[in-house]
């Protein structure tokens, strides 16, 4: 083989490697964007689906949403349980705030020239959100056990937030470091 043929083969191989590299980068970006879209949709949807659902029809309003719980629990404890109701409203409010911060952190990963700090922040938000969702599931199971037959043990909002927290962690792990520089 002469030098011209070897040089042409090397150039051709390099162009194929660059083409494959571009395809892999595009696939990474597509998977990353899909994970972010699923996570953001789940987090936003969680605010609107029921947090607690009644199993038997008690009236027209048989479910309670997360934001309704934040604003409704504080005033619901007239009498000896007013402090407990206010504390429950604060805990649920902190949960709603953690979800909002995780959503902002997740959407921040779409920015240009995202460094390692926003990625680490999104990872921390995802971990905090998953821990908070664990406590949310415990609360739902405790309420379902306390009001046996009247409250469902399935919480669509908590499931949605759990999916959003997992997607936030996954997006932080999948974030390509070289495609936005």
């Amino acid at each position: 083989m002469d030098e011209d043929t070897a040089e042409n083969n090397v150039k051709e191989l390099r162009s194929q490697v660059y083409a494959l590299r571009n395809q892999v980068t595009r696939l990474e970006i597509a998977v990353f964007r899909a994970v972010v879209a699923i996570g953001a949709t789940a987090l936003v949807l969680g605010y609107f689906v029921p947090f607690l659902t009644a199993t038997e029809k008690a009236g027209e309003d048989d479910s309670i949403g997360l934001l309704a719980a934040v604003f409704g629990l504080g005033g619901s404890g007239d009498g000896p349980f007013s402090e407990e109701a206010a504390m429950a409203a604060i805990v649920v409010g902190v949960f709603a705030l953690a979800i909002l911060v995780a959503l902002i952190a997740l959407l921040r990963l779409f920015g240009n020239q995202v460094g390692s700090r926003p990625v680490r922040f999104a990872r921390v938000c995802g971990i905090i959100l998953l821990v908070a969702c664990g406590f949310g599931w415990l609360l739902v199971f405790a309420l379902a056990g306390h009001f046996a037959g009247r409250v469902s043990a399935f919480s669509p909002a908590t499931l949605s937030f759990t999916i959003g927290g997992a997607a936030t962690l996954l997006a932080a792990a999948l974030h390509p470091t070289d495609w936005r520089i």
Side-chain angles (χ1 to χ4, degrees), residues 49-53 136-137 140 152-160:
V49 296
F51 184 68
L52 291 174
T53 306
W137 281 112
V140 169
S152 173
F154 176 70
S155 171
T158 309
L159 176 65
S160 183

Side-chain angles (χ1 to χ4, degrees), residues 1-20:
M1 223 194 272
D2 61 347
E3 285 185 32
D4 290 337
T5 308
E7 192 173 309
N8 286 338
N9 287 341
V10 169
K11 286 181 183 179
E12 184 179 332
L13 286 174
R14 282 186 181 154
S15 68
Q16 289 176 354
V17 167
Y18 290 136
L20 285 174

Side-chain angles (χ1 to χ4, degrees), residues 5-50:
T5 308
E7 192 173 309
N8 286 338
N9 287 341
V10 169
K11 286 181 183 179
E12 184 179 332
L13 286 174
R14 282 186 181 154
S15 68
Q16 289 176 354
V17 167
Y18 290 136
L20 285 174
R21 183 177 173 197
N22 288 336
Q23 287 178 343
V24 167
T25 301
R26 283 195 308 266
L27 287 174
E28 283 179 341
I29 292 168
V31 168
F32 172 76
R33 287 184 176 164
V35 167
V36 170
I38 289 169
T41 302
L43 289 175
V44 170
L45 184 65
Y47 280 113
F48 299 106
V49 296

Side-chain angles (χ1 to χ4, degrees), residues 60-80:
E60 285 186 26
D61 190 17
D62 61 345
S63 66
I64 184 169
L66 184 70
L67 295 179
V70 171
F71 298 114
L73 281 174
S76 66
D78 294 337

Side-chain angles (χ1 to χ4, degrees), residues 28-158:
E28 283 179 341
I29 292 168
V31 168
F32 172 76
R33 287 184 176 164
V35 167
V36 170
I38 289 169
T41 302
L43 289 175
V44 170
L45 184 65
Y47 280 113
F48 299 106
V49 296
F51 184 68
L52 291 174
T53 306
T55 55
E56 48 186 51
K57 295 283 183 183
E60 285 186 26
D61 190 17
D62 61 345
S63 66
I64 184 169
L66 184 70
L67 295 179
V70 171
F71 298 114
L73 281 174
S76 66
D78 294 337
F81 297 108
S82 61
E83 288 94 22
E84 287 84 358
M87 184 58 99
I90 290 170
V91 168
V92 174
V94 169
F95 184 49
L97 184 62
I99 294 161
L100 182 64
V101 170
L103 177 64
I104 292 169
L106 183 64
L107 294 176
R108 172 66 179 105
L109 295 179
F110 264 133
N112 290 329
Q113 297 179 349
V114 174
S116 62
R117 291 179 107 184
V119 174
R120 279 184 288 174
F121 183 70
R123 185 175 296 123
V124 168
C125 286
I127 290 169
I128 290 171
L129 184 56
L130 285 178
V131 169
C133 285
F135 286 116
W137 281 112
L138 288 175
L139 175 66
V140 169
F141 292 146
L143 289 173
H146 184 68
F147 297 106
R150 292 185 289 176
V151 175
S152 173
F154 176 70
S155 171
T158 309

